[in-house]
Amino acid sequence: MSDCLIKAFSGCACPPGECAQKPTTPAPVIFISWRIQAIACLTFGFLAAIVSAACMETQFKSQDLRNQEHASWK
């Protein structure tokens, strides 16, 4: 049976009577609507913006404190 499937999908012609079986049904293709895709993209983008803003806030806060120390000694 596996030889028949390989021959059927590779496009080779089988001799008469050798591969008379049809190949198994292909996997179903699931289409996700554009609305769900748009909502998912916006959600991931919003979460990424929140995470990056939180990371940048801690970096800028420590940088401001360092700069404040240097500015006070001038």
Side-chain angles (χ1 to χ4, degrees):
M1 169 115 176
S2 62
D3 291 338
C4 292
L5 286 175
I6 291 170
K7 289 179 183 176
F9 284 116
S10 66
C12 299
C14 297
E18 184 180 321
C19 291
Q21 304 168 348
K22 289 213 172 227
T24 57
T25 57
V29 178
I30 299 173
F31 293 104
I32 299 174
S33 71
W34 65 270
R35 288 180 184 151
I36 293 174
Q37 289 178 11
I39 290 170
C41 287
L42 289 173
T43 303
F44 287 130
F46 186 69
L47 288 175
I50 290 174
V51 170
S52 64
C55 292
M56 288 191 320
E57 181 185 3
T58 57
Q59 289 178 356
F60 285 143
K61 187 182 282 187
S62 63
Q63 186 178 11
D64 286 343
L65 287 174
R66 277 187 269 132
N67 289 342
Q68 182 183 7
E69 240 177 65
H70 289 295
S72 65
W73 284 99
K74 284 187 180 179

